[in-house]
Amino acid sequence: MAFDISRRLVLTGAVGATVACATACTTTQTAAAEAAFPANAPSADPDPELLGPRGGVALLSRNENPYGPAPSALKMIEYAGKKGAYYPDIAGAKLAEMIAERHGVTPDMIAITTGSGEALSAIALIYGQKGPIVAPRLFWDTTALYAVNLGMAEIDRVALAPDMSTDLAAIEAKVTTDTGLVQLCNPNNPTGLVADPVALKAAVVRMSKLTTVLVDEAYMELADDPEGNTCIGLVKAGHNVIVSRTFSKIYGMAGIRVGYTISSPETAAKIQSTAMSWISGVGLAAAIGSYNDTAFLDFSKGKIVEGRKMVITTLDALDLEYLPSQTNFVYFKSGKPANDVAKAMKDRGIYIRGQYMDYTDWTRVSMGKIEDIERFCKALPEVVGA
Ligand SMILES: Cc1ncc(COP(=O)(O)O)c(C=O)c1O
């Protein structure tokens, strides 16, 4: 059955007629509800620890952007909350139009999901059934593992190059028409490395003639040259490529859960129809509010680069090896078991990542609030015994 994406998007979105009129109407409704249910009227702030890090914790383990959401998103969240009684109407279509316009594609090439993770899980289910998912040994594998755990995919991991970059030649050597999917992550997580754009695009084009290639660009907006590195141009040129992006990273909306893919219209329809839920109106409204908020995006990138410099200065001073990150995290070799380093940091209220696979003494620290990165930098010499 052909999937009518415009109908699907009509079911998922909603900015309604005008925000001003809508706000006035909902204010009346809210006042009526508060009069009828005075005990439910907001009286105090909720528990400040209900969401986000507990007091005193420097949360540097999950690649979030604590400077978000943007004020432009928060304004729309308030509006959307008041409209929460209604299933979203046209907001999905509106957001798809905005994304399509930015990237010079048509709205039917966009699938919008509950975080990019939902799209990536759908992709793993769709393509994993056809054959192995070929991927670098280290990548963000959560969604491929989702399909593996359901018995619907296998991951064929390819060793990293000696410099820990994705070994494109070795990956390409594995790919045949029986490959279900090639999954790349650029910049990669947890390494933070950006692939050489010329080599990457040439390899992706060749591999996409044999199978579908997914390029997860969750961190691309944080790279030094997003335009030069993105594979969206390959989608536009008609290659069998899917690019995923998210509002969880530079937009600082990890808790609000909106992501999207760019692909051919047929593939977008498949992803959208395989996704398991409808996106919340609050998420769509927040994404619409901040998608083109360049002042906020520049501010966030500035804070991330500032934090990265602080971490690198500390690592240099301690003479510790690290990878040149173009993301909001740094992968470094502490020389100690990564889980012990994470535990020692946690004892100091600083949360960082533990070990990945058998990379025993490599540790990942995410950027966060500058004062939290300061705490990490101060604690590191003691933790690594320098
Ligand atoms: C590389 C990469 N892709 C995708 C995701 C999923 O993010 P979300 O589902 O919040 O969009 C993450 C989360 O950390 C990630 O690191």
Side-chain angles (χ1 to χ4, degrees):
M1 186 187 72
F3 180 72
D4 177 354
I5 195 160
S6 57
R7 188 173 154 271
R8 170 72 178 84
L9 289 169
V10 162
L11 287 171
T12 60
V15 176
T18 71
V19 173
C21 164
T23 306
C25 299
T26 46
T27 303
T28 316
Q29 288 157 15
T30 309
E34 282 179 10
F37 303 102
N40 292 349
S43 52
D45 284 341
D47 177 352
E49 299 191 346
L50 187 63
L51 294 165
R54 278 182 290 114
V57 167
L59 189 56
L60 305 175
S61 56
R62 304 193 311 204
N63 301 345
E64 296 147 330
N65 169 15
Y67 291 98
S72 52
L74 291 174
K75 204 170 146 201
M76 288 294 276
I77 288 168
E78 195 188 350
Y79 154 73
K82 289 177 182 158
K83 290 285 199 169
Y86 304 104
Y87 289 112
D89 196 9
I90 60 163
K94 166 82 180 162
L95 181 59
E97 265 169 35
M98 292 172 78
I99 294 168
E101 189 180 338
R102 157 107 52 98
H103 296 292
V105 299
T106 51
D108 58 357
M109 296 170 78
I110 311 297
I112 301 174
T113 51
T114 307
S116 62
E118 190 187 32
L120 296 173
S121 292
I123 292 165
L125 288 181
I126 296 165
Y127 297 97
Q129 295 180 70
K130 295 186 180 166
I133 298 174
V134 177
R137 184 130 197 286
L138 277 184
F139 73 114
W140 193 69
D141 57 9
T142 306
T143 52
L145 289 173
Y146 166 77
V148 170
N149 291 338
L150 289 170
M152 292 168 83
E154 275 174 28
I155 308 176
D156 188 352
R157 294 180 190 261
V158 179
L160 300 179
D163 63 358
M164 294 180 84
S165 64
T166 298
D167 190 337
L168 289 168
I171 288 181
E172 204 178 337
K174 288 235 167 180
V175 174
T176 69
T177 49
D178 291 331
T179 301
L181 179 77
V182 176
Q183 182 161 351
L184 304 173
C185 186
N186 190 41
N188 200 4
N189 178 10
T191 65
L193 296 173
V194 169
D196 172 76
V198 176
L200 174 73
K201 288 176 197 178
V204 169
V205 167
R206 286 191 298 268
M207 293 189 289
S208 71
K209 296 192 189 313
L210 301 172
T211 190
T212 304
V213 182
L214 164 65
V215 188
D216 175 352
E217 294 189 353
Y219 301 96
M220 187 52 89
E221 293 97 337
L222 300 172
D224 298 345
D225 176 17
E227 289 305 312
N229 284 287
T230 181
C231 281
I232 292 173
L234 304 185
V235 180
K236 288 203 272 193
H239 298 291
N240 186 15
V241 175
I242 307 169
V243 171
S244 61
R245 294 273 180 108
T246 183
F247 283 86
S248 297
K249 306 303 175 184
I250 193 161
Y251 286 90
M253 295 189 354
I256 294 170
R257 313 302 305 131
V258 185
Y260 61 94
T261 57
I262 305 178
S263 66
S264 71
E266 299 71 35
T267 302
K270 253 192 254 174
I271 295 167
Q272 197 78 71
S273 62
T274 308
M276 289 179 72
S277 65
W278 289 269
I279 313 129
S280 85
V282 173
L284 289 166
I288 289 167
S290 58
Y291 188 58
N292 290 322
D293 189 343
T294 45
F296 171 77
L297 298 176
D298 291 347
F299 169 79
S300 288
K301 197 162 175 174
K303 286 288 173 201
I304 288 160
V305 170
E306 184 183 342
R308 222 162 57 199
K309 279 188 189 146
M310 289 163 61
V311 169
I312 285 168
T313 303
T314 305
L315 294 170
D316 281 339
L318 296 170
D319 207 17
L320 295 178
E321 191 184 336
Y322 57 87
L323 300 180
S325 169
Q326 290 194 30
T327 60
N328 59 345
F329 50 89
V330 177
Y331 200 44
F332 68 97
K333 190 173 184 177
S334 71
K336 306 265 174 208
N339 290 339
D340 292 355
V341 174
K343 160 97 179 47
M345 282 287 178
K346 195 170 182 184
D347 291 345
R348 292 163 172 77
I350 303 162
Y351 289 21
I352 63 169
R353 264 301 301 244
Q355 186 178 327
Y356 282 91
M357 302 192 80
D358 54 358
Y359 292 85
T360 335
D361 54 358
W362 284 84
T363 302
R364 192 194 73 185
V365 59
S366 306
M367 298 311 104
K369 290 187 185 146
I370 295 298
E371 58 269 29
D372 289 343
I373 300 170
E374 246 159 29
R375 282 175 64 189
F376 167 81
C377 291
K378 268 197 194 135
L380 191 62
E382 200 178 285
V383 165
V384 300

